[in-house]
Amino acid sequence: MIRLVVFGALLALLTWWLYRRLTRPTELGPRARSVVAVALVVLWMLALTGVGSGELFATAWARPLGFVGWVWLAAGLYLVLGLGLIAVGTGVDRLIRRRRGPDGPPSPGRRRFLRLATGTVVVAAVGAAGYGVVEAATPRVVRVRIPLRRLPAEFAGTRIALITDLHVGPARGIGFTSKVVDLVASEHPDLILIGGDLVDGTVAKVGPDLEPLAGLQAPLGVFGVSGNHEFYAGDGGRWLDLWDRLGIHTLRNSRVELRRGDAAVDLAGIHDLTSPAPFEPDADAALAGRDPERAVILLAHQPAQVVDAERLGVDLQLSGHTHGGQMWPLGYLVPLQQPSVTGLDRFGDTVLYTSRGAGAWGPPVRVGTPPEITLIELVPA
């Protein structure tokens, strides 16, 4: 509840700024200003509903309303960027005119320009959010071949389906989970790995939305690790217990042996980098006692956990978390926190693959970063 109150207060300030930028420079009349004010207040309420859906509010009624609110927040991002540029431009223009002499009233041409520019920003912001909704609703299979130096010949051609960042709950439910499961099943992978952040919310309110995951099957098994969002509602351990009941073998700073014939590969999984006690990540514990000559794959939610992977001689780390930025231009901020945004990277002898994820956090919107289910083929280096 505290997070919702704080978010609501900050969003109220932003809503007031948007109201001023939409009405004052354009010199809208009283009736138009009232329409803008009512619309912004309603959208503010819908956004709060979306933020609380799945944790504070039951998804049965809050999800449809919250979906609209979340999409509004995506449009709001582009409104802020666009209107902010207009504000900077008009501010610079005002300073230049003042240096040239007394600043008189705005000319009719300047008023027309501001109205046109503001209208263009509104249309572009709504259009970008609408496009992003369609983009985010259609995850696609991304195929990647990854050569590994120590891969046994028996594992050549092994196909791994990597699923991360569904984020079902506030804006999406069981239908989206079923879509992802069906896509994975159609590929018939040898191994299925789940990289965390499947949900936003509590087990009581969102748990049923994960039930289709029970249909995941693969010859080498289905394994998963926690992400950071499993813990936001305080249900982190209960979420992992639910995954186990659905047939997902959760790796809790632990390791299993995958075998094909006489050959073996180690698969390890660690908790998310920011997990609270007693779920702190421990790569050393996960890899303790293993044969150092054997190839090892590490499942870790955040790419930043590659620091431990490289130190411990991991061959391949599979991660998610970044969403590739999810909405342009946010991807430019991801390198401030993570060593990889999306795709393949190498850190020493460790290969890192970062998935953009199948879902979307917050707004069910993706702009410039399509959602993915990754199908990895392992080949000898």
Side-chain angles (χ1 to χ4, degrees):
M1 178 60 77
I2 294 177
R3 290 202 305 270
L4 185 65
V5 171
V6 172
F7 177 81
L10 294 175
L11 185 59
L13 293 174
L14 182 60
T15 299
W16 171 246
W17 182 85
L18 286 174
Y19 171 78
R20 301 264 293 183
R21 294 307 310 172
L22 289 169
T23 59
R24 290 191 67 187
T26 55
E27 298 183 2
L28 295 182
R31 180 173 296 179
R33 288 199 301 270
S34 297
V35 171
V36 171
V38 170
L40 289 174
V41 169
V42 170
L43 290 169
W44 174 79
M45 295 173 64
L46 291 175
L48 292 186
T49 302
V51 172
S53 175
E55 182 176 351
L56 298 175
F57 310 138
T59 57
W61 68 266
R63 184 180 288 145
L65 300 174
F67 188 97
V68 177
W70 278 120
V71 174
W72 157 242
L73 289 178
L77 167 67
Y78 293 112
L79 275 177
V80 169
L81 292 175
L83 295 178
L85 286 175
I86 294 174
V88 170
T90 54
V92 171
D93 178 64
R94 189 179 299 112
L95 287 174
I96 293 174
R97 287 189 291 108
R98 283 179 178 174
R99 289 176 65 90
R100 293 175 178 173
D103 189 19
S107 66
R110 184 166 174 267
R111 284 196 295 268
R112 285 195 296 271
F113 170 78
L114 286 175
R115 288 183 175 181
L116 177 62
T118 301
T120 300
V121 166
V122 171
V123 171
V126 173
Y131 157 78
V133 168
V134 176
E135 182 82 321
T138 52
R140 68 287 316 265
V141 175
V142 174
R143 303 175 192 278
V144 183
R145 298 178 84 241
I146 300 181
L148 296 181
R149 179 175 53 87
R150 297 193 296 179
L151 186 74
E154 290 87 344
F155 279 83
T158 298
R159 299 163 75 246
I160 303 172
L162 175 63
I163 307 169
T164 74
D165 302 278
L166 292 185
H167 290 283
V168 298
R172 289 214 176 88
I174 193 170
F176 186 75
T177 307
S178 295
K179 178 185 292 188
V180 170
V181 168
D182 290 344
L183 276 172
V184 172
S186 69
E187 295 294 335
H188 306 288
D190 302 300
L191 174 66
I192 298 174
L193 300 180
I194 294 175
D197 277 9
L198 296 189
V199 293
D200 283 291
T202 65
V203 171
K205 292 183 173 66
V206 183
D209 294 321
L210 292 187
E211 288 180 1
L213 295 177
L216 291 174
Q217 293 183 348
L220 291 175
V222 182
F223 301 87
V225 295
S226 62
N228 52 312
H229 281 252
E230 272 77 34
F231 296 95
Y232 282 174
D235 273 7
R238 287 185 288 275
W239 276 121
L240 295 180
D241 292 341
L242 174 63
W243 296 5
D244 281 326
R245 292 196 296 273
L246 292 174
I248 301 167
H249 181 161
T250 58
L251 298 170
R252 312 186 188 198
N253 296 329
S254 58
R255 171 174 49 88
V256 296
E257 184 182 88
L258 305 177
R259 300 201 66 90
R260 272 191 163 180
D262 295 329
V265 168
D266 285 330
L267 171 66
I270 56 177
H271 289 302
D272 177 68
L273 189 64
T274 61
S275 298
F279 301 99
E280 299 97 328
D282 191 340
D284 291 275
L287 296 176
R290 59 173 296 272
D291 181 353
E293 299 302 316
R294 183 183 293 174
V296 57
I297 300 170
L298 177 67
L299 189 57
H301 181 62
Q302 297 197 36
Q305 294 173 279
V306 75
V307 174
D308 285 332
E310 181 183 1
R311 174 176 61 84
L312 293 169
V314 168
D315 296 83
L316 171 64
Q317 176 176 314
L318 300 176
S319 299
H321 184 67
T322 68
H323 300 201
Q326 186 165 321
M327 293 188 297
W328 183 91
L330 299 180
Y332 295 113
L333 301 178
V334 176
L336 299 177
Q337 187 202 31
Q338 298 292 334
S340 175
V341 178
T342 184
L344 281 170
D345 285 288
R346 179 176 288 276
F347 296 84
D349 291 330
T350 300
V351 177
L352 169 67
Y353 185 84
T354 305
S355 169
R356 293 190 300 263
W361 173 62
V365 173
R366 280 181 173 264
V367 178
T369 58
E372 72 171 77
I373 297 164
T374 318
L375 190 67
I376 298 165
E377 181 183 1
L378 301 181
V379 296

